[in-house]
Amino acid sequence: MQTAQADALHPEARQPGSHSLIASDRVEGTPVRRVNGEKIGTIQRLMIDKLTGNVAYAVLSFGGFLGLGQKHAPIPWARLSYDPNLEAYHLEMSDEEMSKAPSVAAGEEFDWGDRSREIEIHEYHRVPPYWGAY
C-alpha cells in the first residue's frame, strides 16, 4: 500500500532514469564537454572522501592521441554540472586553462594524501575545498 501511495504522490519516480542517483561505474567514461558541446575529455574515476562520503574530485582524462600524451586532472566536483540532454558533464575551461591546470601524466601516480597539492587544485579552480576552510 505504501508503494502505491508513494507512486501516486511522485509519479516521476516510476520513470526509468528520472532520478538523480547514479552508480560510480556509470560516471566513469562519461564525456566532459564545454557548454558549446565541444568534448574536453572523459571522467576516468571519482575520488570520494571516505569520512563524509561526498565526491571530492572527478579525475578527467584529456589530451593526447590514442592514449599517448594523455593527462589526468583532478577537477573539483563543484566545477562540474550534468547536462541530461547531452548525457555529459559541463566544465568551462579553455584549452589554455586545461594545459595549466594541476595534472599528472597518464600512468603517473598522484599523491592524494598531499594536502598542499589539493590546496593548489582548489586555488586553481577557485572553489572552496571539500574538507572546509584551510
Side-chain angles (χ1 to χ4, degrees):
M1 184 68 171
Q2 284 184 331
T3 303
Q5 288 174 336
D7 287 350
L9 292 172
H10 303 287
E12 72 280 359
R14 292 178 290 175
Q15 304 300 319
S18 65
H19 55 81
S20 63
L21 294 177
I22 188 167
S24 62
D25 63 339
R26 297 218 32 224
V27 175
E28 295 168 3
T30 301
V32 176
R33 300 182 181 277
R34 293 185 174 97
V35 174
N36 68 5
E38 179 185 0
K39 186 175 177 182
I40 298 172
T42 58
I43 294 177
Q44 182 201 22
R45 71 173 52 112
L46 298 178
M47 299 303 296
I48 300 168
D49 182 299
K50 292 189 289 187
L51 299 177
T52 66
N54 294 329
V55 176
Y57 303 101
V59 178
L60 177 65
S61 178
F62 71 100
F65 182 71
L66 298 176
L68 299 174
Q70 195 171 53
K71 291 184 172 185
H72 295 158
I75 307 294
W77 191 245
R79 286 288 315 266
L80 299 167
S81 61
Y82 186 72
D83 182 334
N85 295 321
L86 290 177
E87 295 183 343
Y89 288 90
H90 281 165
L91 176 64
E92 274 312 302
M93 289 183 73
S94 68
D95 286 339
E96 182 180 350
E97 290 171 316
M98 284 302 304
S99 70
K100 293 178 181 178
S103 64
V104 296
E108 189 178 316
E109 287 296 315
F110 183 90
D111 181 3
W112 292 103
D114 184 350
R115 186 66 86 191
S116 65
R117 286 290 311 265
E118 289 191 279
I119 289 170
E120 175 189 0
I121 292 164
H122 286 270
E123 286 179 347
Y124 184 83
H125 289 282
R126 297 185 205 118
V127 294
Y130 66 90
W131 64 87
Y134 53 87

